Amino acid sequence: MAPSRRFTADEGGYAQPGDLIEILRPAYQHWALYLGDGYIINVTPVGDVAPGTMSSTKSVLTRKARVRMQLLKDVVGEDKYRINNKYDSCYAPLPVEEIIRRAERYIDTEVPYDVLASNCEHFVTMLRYGEGVSNQAKKAIGAMGAAVVAAGAISLLGFAMGRSREKHN
């Protein structure tokens, strides 16, 4: 259950309210938004028994996510993390009070989830900037496109080689 207190923009500590937190998982990055006082907001698969962890397999298969407020240390576990407001040069962050107010409205709700179009990074950047952005998704889409092109080239090459053998026989 979420504490009833509200977070404010003047809380101290290394991470500041409204900061994007990138959690470096073995196969992907999980994103959260720092609220203050050690708490973050993030999305997890609906029905996940361990809400601090979003397995990459389950996140690919789910279509909904639950927004949770959790302690950063519980979500990070043994993984490394960093503050990464990497989009600040492209998008102006909203005022911190507005970021926190927007985030608090989502706590304990379900939201649509799609690993390529509406993932954890999209969610927290939408809170910080008013627009959902995910370079992680763009890279995945680019990799899939490259794989499709490579598969097509291999098929075309195989077809051409087969035709060439037919002509020589």
Side-chain angles (χ1 to χ4, degrees), residues 36-155:
D37 201 28
Y39 284 92
I40 54 99
I41 187 172
N42 70 140
V43 295
T44 62
V46 171
D48 193 354
V49 293
T53 61
M54 166 105 72
S55 75
S56 57
T57 303
K58 190 163 187 175
S59 69
V60 169
L61 302 175
T62 190
R63 301 298 291 159
K64 289 195 174 234
R66 175 148 312 271
V67 179
R68 300 186 191 273
M69 183 177 93
Q70 300 170 271
L71 285 170
L72 175 61
K73 66 179 183 163
D74 292 343
V75 176
V76 170
E78 297 295 315
D79 294 323
K80 295 189 182 304
Y81 74 94
R82 64 183 176 189
I83 296 166
N84 190 351
N85 298 319
K86 67 182 182 177
Y87 300 110
D88 282 7
S89 62
C90 302
Y91 301 94
L94 297 170
V96 175
E97 294 79 10
E98 183 176 343
I99 295 170
I100 301 305
R101 191 171 35 255
R102 292 163 54 104
E104 287 175 330
R105 279 189 239 137
Y106 280 100
I107 294 171
D108 292 326
T109 65
E110 283 187 12
V111 293
Y113 185 88
D114 180 290
V115 72
L116 298 177
S118 184
N119 64 33
C120 57
E121 187 177 9
H122 287 109
F123 177 72
V124 297
T125 55
M126 182 271 304
L127 294 174
R128 182 172 174 84
Y129 305 109
E131 183 171 339
V133 184
S134 175
N135 278 345
Q136 185 171 223
K138 287 178 187 175
K139 288 178 187 175
I141 291 168
M144 286 190 295
V148 167
V149 168
I154 290 169
S155 293

Side-chain angles (χ1 to χ4, degrees), residues 26-38:
Y28 66 103
Q29 290 78 41
H30 181 62
W31 289 83
L33 181 107
Y34 191 73
L35 295 173
D37 201 28

